[in-house]
Amino acid sequence: MAAAKTVAFHTLGCKLNFSETSAISRLLENDGFEKRSFDEQADVYVINTCSVTDNADKECRHLVRRIQRKSPESLVVITGCYAQLKPKEIAAIPGVDLVLGAAEKFNIVQHVKELSKGDSAKICSCDIEELTGFNASFSVNDRTRSFLKVQDGCNYNCSFCTIPMARGKSRSDTIANVVNTAAQLAARDVKEIILTGVNLGDFGKGASGTETRENFTALVKALDNVDAIARYRISSIEPNLLTNEIIEFVANSDRFMPHFHIPLQSGSNDILALMRRRYKRDLYAERIALIKTLMPHCAIGVDVIVGFPGETEDHFKETVDFLQELDISYLHVFTYSERANTRALDIRPVVPVNTRLERNKILRNLSYMKMQYFTQQHVGQTRKVLFEKCAGDTMMEGYTDNYIRVTAPRQPLFINYIVDWTI
Ligand code: SF4
C-alpha cells in the first residue's frame, strides 16, 4: 500500500483565515492526507495568505524559501486573499507550484491531485465579481473554542480596504446550517463559539449574495436555543449594524457573552467620511452608552486606524479625546498603510510614516490604560471562567464571560469547564 501523502499549513492574517485553513485541512485529511506541522517535512505545503498584513509578499517569499531549503521536492500551494489580489506576483515566486484564488481554495483536493512539481506555477483564480457560493468553515482550538465562519465578503466600500476585492460580495450561510454546525461542534465538546465573518452584521444575503430573508438578529436568536453550546461571542460588528435589538438581546441572554468588538477607525467625522464609513461618531457613542447601561460589566474592544491620509494633528486629537471619554475596554490599533487599487491612495496630504508610528504608540498606551482600568473594576468579583488550556507546566488560562484573561495554577480537571472564579 502506498504511504499516505502529508500536508502542512501556515496561516497569515485573521480568524477567518484560520477557520478556512481548518476547513481546507479537513478536506485534505478526508481524502487521506496526513497533517504535519509546518516545521516538519511534508509532501504538500499550503500557505493561506492575507491582504491586510503588511509585506504579504515578503512574508510569502520568506516562507517559500524556508520550504525550498528543507524540502525542495515538495509541492507549494498559495491561497487566501493575497493570492486572489496578486496571483501573478505570487506565481512568480521561485518554488511556488499552484496559486488558488477565492473561488478555488475549497477545490484544493482536486487541484493538488492534478499537480506535479514543474517549472512554472499554475494559477487558478477567477474575477472576483463572478465569485458566488459560501463555504462554511470552523476552526477548533484545543476543542474548547471554535471560530465559526457564518458570513464572507463585503458590499461596503471603505476607502482603505482591499477585502471586497479579495473576498467578493457579501454572502452567508443559512441559519439552519449554522445551528446544525453549532450542534455538531457541541458534540465535539466545544464550549464556546465565536461567530466570525468579514462583515458579520450583514449576515443574511445567502450563498448567492442576493437573498435577504434572514438577518443577523434572527441568527443570534436561533443560536441562543442551541442548549449544548455554553457561550457565544460576536467577533466584530460594524456600529451601524449593531442594532439596539441585538444589544438588548445579548444583555438578556445567558449564552451570548457580554463582550463586543466594534470597529471605530477614527473619532473624527471628517476622517470617517474620507474613509467612507457608514456612521458618525455620535452613533458610535450611543451604541457604547446603551451597551454599558444594560451591561456595565461588558467588555468592548475597538479597532482604530491611525495616520489615514488627511488626518491632521487636530483630527487625531479628536480621536484621542473621543476614545478617552468612551467607556471601552481595549483598542486594536492599526497603522495606515497604502494598498493598491484603493480610493485612499488619492487622498492628500499623506501622513509621514514616523507620525503614523507615533500616533500608534499613543493609542497603544491608551489601550493599555483602558485595559488596566477595566480589569481593575472587576478585581474581587466572582465571574465565570472557561479554562482553555495549560500554560506551561504549572499554570492554566481562560477567559471570564467579559473577556478578562485569567491565569491560575494548573488544575487539569478545570480545563474545558466553566468555573466560578474570583478575580
Ligand atoms: S466594512 Fe469596510 S473595512 Fe470592513 S471589510 Fe467591508 S469594506 Fe473592508
Side-chain angles (χ1 to χ4, degrees), residues 154 156-158 160-161 163-164 198-199 238 277:
C154 185
Y156 287 16
N157 50 4
C158 302
F160 53 83
C161 184
I163 292 176
V198 169
N199 189 345
E238 291 290 299
R277 301 289 290 164

Side-chain angles (χ1 to χ4, degrees), residues 49-116:
T49 61
C50 168
S51 65
V52 178
T53 320
D54 272 328
N55 302 324
D57 75 325
K58 242 197 230 156
E59 250 177 293
C60 215
R61 262 169 223 282
H62 172 72
L63 290 165
V64 175
R65 233 179 286 132
R66 247 175 73 188
I67 297 167
Q68 281 202 302
R69 271 200 301 267
K70 85 178 151 200
S71 189
E73 294 309 314
S74 300
L75 294 170
V76 177
V77 182
I78 315 285
T79 188
C81 292
Y82 193 60
Q84 175 66 37
L85 287 177
K86 299 274 169 84
K88 288 193 188 127
E89 276 91 331
I90 290 183
I93 300 174
V96 172
D97 299 291
L98 176 65
V99 182
L100 290 181
E104 293 302 325
K105 62 187 162 198
F106 293 99
N107 296 327
I108 191 164
V109 174
Q110 193 58 34
H111 287 296
V112 166
K113 277 183 173 169
E114 290 166 2
L115 198 61
S116 55

Side-chain angles (χ1 to χ4, degrees), residues 319-361:
T319 298
V320 176
D321 292 347
F322 185 64
L323 287 167
Q324 250 158 358
E325 289 297 310
L326 280 184
D327 193 358
I328 51 159
S329 325
Y330 61 94
L331 306 171
H332 282 175
V333 187
F334 299 88
T335 303
Y336 172 77
S337 69
E338 285 74 7
R339 294 279 181 265
N341 302 319
T342 54
R343 287 195 167 97
L345 292 179
D346 300 329
I347 303 173
R348 295 287 180 274
V350 166
V351 177
V353 171
N354 57 348
T355 307
R356 299 182 203 180
L357 297 176
E358 278 162 24
R359 290 178 186 174
N360 182 308
K361 201 168 159 196

Side-chain angles (χ1 to χ4, degrees), residues 23 26 30 136-140 143-149 173-193 223 225-230 232 416:
R26 280 190 293 276
N30 287 343
S137 309
F138 59 83
S139 68
V140 180
R143 85 195 159 130
T144 304
R145 288 207 287 171
S146 173
F147 290 89
L148 174 58
K149 174 182 139 189
D173 210 341
T174 61
I175 292 178
N177 272 347
V178 178
V179 166
N180 196 13
T181 310
Q184 283 174 30
L185 288 169
R188 295 167 74 137
D189 217 13
V190 165
K191 298 289 192 310
E192 179 173 309
I193 288 179
L223 285 170
N225 291 323
V226 180
D227 290 344
I229 293 292
Y232 294 98
N416 208 24

